[in-house]
Amino acid sequence: MSEESYSLHLEDGKQVKLPVYPGTLGPKVVDIRKLYSQAGVFTFDPGFLATASCESKITFIDGEKGVLLYRGYPIEQLAEHSSHLEVCYLLMYGELPTAEQFAGFRESITRHTMIHEGLKNFYNGFRRDAHPMAVMVGVVGALSAFYHDSLDIHNPEHREISAHRLIAKMPTIAAWSYKFFHGQPFLYPSNKLGYAENFLRMTFGVPAEEYEVNPVVAKALDQIFILHADHEQNASTSTVRLAGSSGANPFACISAGIGTLWGPAHGGANEAVLKMLDQIGGIENVDTVIDRAEDADDPFRLMGFGHRVYKNFDPRAVIIRDACHKVLDSLGIDDPQLELAMRLEEKALKEDYFIERKLYPNVDFYSGIILKAIGIPTNMFTVMFALGRTVGWISHWMEMIKEKDSVIGRPRQLYTGPTERDYQPITSRR
Ligand code: SDX
């Protein structure tokens, strides 16, 4: 860490020196860990708009330039040339695998796609109309009840096998949440199929006939998983890190991340976008919708627009928008909602309201249109996001656990409640 520091001059004339550290990319950070002990004050940053919660080597985002790097590799290159499993290796281990390393990794993932037969029974405890994300939160958390042999988070082998199990089992758990919702029989994974292909067959296949994987659909889904794999310290990843800082097991931490992702301000936005497009109906309503989004008195927001970090195009949205045209053309689908989404984007990006606030389409704005085109129902969209993001959550969890000075996350607060007062018996209260 560098010798640079910032000085804080206090009211009593004292001066507190705060070390400043540079990253390899992005803003420097001011180390405030000794601020309270030396100055008796906290910093105040609800929502963490200007707070670096950790040091990380995994993903870099430049929100002003619309740049996203996984371990230094641009998302555009990975989306075009890589596969989700190769990106999983990259995010977890920090380097692209050699052919031999990748073969070993793929073999391990393939060997862990099945889930304990006892876990199948958990599905029957849910109502048939349970949201698939509710099932994911429950079943993924329940995995910790089946792997007592490998929950020592300080054991590198336990950490690795848990990571591989989660990456491998998420498609099975997700596909079965779809099957349960539709009352169809569960299909077991096939070791002959790739990652996205396996998910498609377990989701859309039926025992009565062979399932033919459409390569265009499989490629599009694999690319969706790559684009959702990681995104720095977003809300769900921060949840996983905070849960992990208490020493909780990885299955419980990932379940917490799934719960956070479900919110419509986060990963639930892809489902909210499709519901919004359904409600808007046709392009004749675009102007009215944009007016509502700009009206401070109207709680309506243009879902899939805006981002805490990107103040330029979300590079993932650009890739997905381009993929929309290719996938829909290839499948011979003419979806008016793609035209509607593009008209909304075109109109919004000309409005001062959106320009001043630097609101652009984010990853969720177009992803639902592709997911719908490949047959994924709307209530499974956020499950798809969770499936892709699992490796990001795990990679950050592993990075945090291995930190030498890892401490439990425990923020403080600005207290503005009542000062101390004495208890009053109920007979004397007014
Ligand atoms: C994801 O963090 C990540 O990296 C997340 C993610 C990932 O990969 O993990 O990228 C995935 O969660 C993408 C975001 C998906 N959510 C949505 O699309 C929901 C709609 N968007 C918003 O709710 C909002 O833009 C957020 C939550 C995404 C970001 O919120 P911020 O950064 O806290 O910004 P804000 O709510 O303070 O808004 C700033 C201004 C406000 O107006 P003013 O009070 O200044 O007048 O912009 C307005 C907001 O009202 N605004 C919007 C808007 N988003 C922000 N106005 C209309 N429509 C919108 N979508």
Side-chain angles (χ1 to χ4, degrees):
M1 296 296 190
S2 85
E3 294 310 310
E4 185 185 359
S5 65
Y6 288 176
S7 295
L8 185 66
H9 297 275
L10 305 179
E11 288 154 350
D12 61 5
K14 271 178 67 180
Q15 184 177 312
V16 177
K17 277 193 175 301
L18 300 172
V20 174
Y21 311 131
T24 45
L25 292 170
K28 296 176 183 176
V29 297
V30 181
D31 185 342
I32 56 165
R33 283 176 286 189
K34 292 191 168 43
L35 181 66
Y36 178 58
S37 62
Q38 293 182 6
V41 294
F42 297 142
T43 57
F44 186 63
D45 187 13
F48 312 118
L49 284 97
T51 294
S53 62
C54 62
E55 176 183 345
S56 181
K57 301 179 188 321
I58 298 171
T59 291
F60 176 73
I61 301 170
D62 182 326
E64 298 304 324
K65 295 179 186 154
V67 169
L68 171 57
L69 308 176
Y70 288 169
R71 298 287 190 179
Y73 293 96
I75 191 67
E76 295 83 359
Q77 294 181 28
L78 293 171
E80 185 177 351
H81 302 300
S82 189
S83 68
H84 184 60
L85 267 193
E86 185 179 69
V87 165
C88 286
Y89 187 98
L90 172 66
L91 288 169
M92 281 178 61
Y93 299 108
E95 298 295 336
L96 288 170
T98 62
E100 186 183 357
Q101 288 167 332
F102 186 59
F105 179 69
R106 183 173 51 203
E107 174 65 12
S108 173
I109 298 300
T110 301
R111 292 281 159 215
H112 287 97
T113 49
M114 290 181 67
I115 59 178
H116 192 289
E117 280 296 296
L119 204 61
K120 268 174 73 175
N121 301 330
F122 278 68
Y123 286 82
N124 296 323
F126 292 100
R127 282 174 42 144
R128 279 286 172 194
D129 60 354
H131 193 290
M133 281 298 278
V135 176
M136 294 299 290
V137 169
V139 175
V140 172
L143 283 171
S144 33
F146 291 83
Y147 296 111
H148 300 293
D149 65 330
S150 54
L151 291 180
D152 173 4
I153 61 170
H154 300 294
N155 180 332
E157 288 171 10
H158 287 194
R159 292 201 297 267
E160 184 163 62
I161 184 63
S162 297
H164 287 202
R165 279 171 168 154
L166 277 158
I167 291 172
K169 296 179 194 307
M170 285 295 270
T172 309
I173 293 170
W176 287 8
S177 67
Y178 172 88
K179 284 306 199 189
F180 176 76
F181 187 86
H182 291 275
Q184 293 181 1
F186 293 177
L187 288 188
Y188 289 97
S190 161
N191 291 351
K192 295 199 288 291
L193 294 177
Y195 198 77
E197 289 89 346
N198 230 339
F199 171 76
L200 289 167
R201 179 183 159 277
M202 287 189 284
T203 301
F204 299 120
V206 289
E209 59 187 24
E210 283 301 307
Y211 177 78
E212 284 296 311
V213 176
N214 180 325
V216 171
V217 169
K219 173 69 180 165
L221 191 57
D222 194 75
Q223 191 175 64
I224 291 255
F225 292 153
I226 290 173
L227 294 171
H228 288 77
D230 192 48
H231 213 238
E232 199 214 70
Q233 305 310 321
N234 59 85
S236 53
T237 299
S238 298
T239 299
V240 170
R241 278 180 170 265
L242 193 57
S245 74
S246 76
N249 73 71
F251 306 106
C253 296
I254 300 303
S255 175
I258 295 170
T260 303
L261 185 75
W262 194 358
H266 190 11
N270 54 17
E271 178 176 356
V273 167
L274 255 291
K275 285 180 180 164
M276 176 186 73
L277 294 176
D278 284 342
Q279 287 161 0
I280 293 170
I283 54 177
E284 67 279 4
N285 300 321
V286 164
D287 290 351
T288 309
V289 166
I290 297 297
D291 290 345
R292 285 194 58 200
E294 297 175 3
D295 180 354
D297 298 326
D298 189 327
F300 173 80
R301 285 197 165 187
L302 193 61
M303 300 312 282
F305 251 77
H307 199 277
R308 170 63 58 73
V309 177
Y310 288 124
K311 302 308 173 189
N312 195 323
F313 268 94
D314 179 337
R316 302 167 296 176
V318 175
I319 296 167
I320 290 178
R321 181 184 58 197
D322 297 346
C324 272
H325 292 290
K326 291 179 193 149
V327 171
L328 270 62
D329 289 352
S330 167
L331 297 176
I333 296 172
D334 177 18
D335 184 350
Q337 289 190 326
L338 175 56
E339 173 65 19
L340 175 58
M342 291 178 66
R343 296 289 284 270
L344 280 167
E345 175 188 340
E346 181 188 1
K347 169 76 178 172
L349 295 185
K350 290 176 183 160
E351 293 286 309
D352 290 343
Y353 176 92
F354 286 83
I355 294 168
E356 288 158 7
R357 293 167 179 79
K358 297 183 177 180
L359 302 175
Y360 288 86
N362 59 51
V363 66
D364 294 304
F365 192 61
Y366 287 103
S367 56
I369 292 171
I370 279 198
L371 291 170
K372 186 176 84 168
I374 62 181
I376 307 287
T378 306
N379 69 358
M380 284 284 288
F381 286 1
T382 310
V383 172
M384 295 296 99
F385 196 144
L387 224 170
R389 184 54 56 87
T390 295
V391 63
W393 291 330
I394 286 166
S395 302
H396 283 275
W397 174 77
M398 293 174 93
E399 182 177 66
M400 179 214 49
I401 296 284
K402 286 187 284 188
E403 265 165 18
K404 59 185 184 314
D405 53 0
S406 174
V407 292
I408 189 168
R410 205 276 187 219
R412 301 302 304 273
Q413 63 180 9
L414 170 65
Y415 177 72
T416 55
T419 53
E420 188 172 338
R421 53 184 172 167
D422 295 326
Y423 180 83
Q424 300 300 319
I426 194 163
T427 50
S428 67
R429 294 174 207 155
R430 293 284 169 268

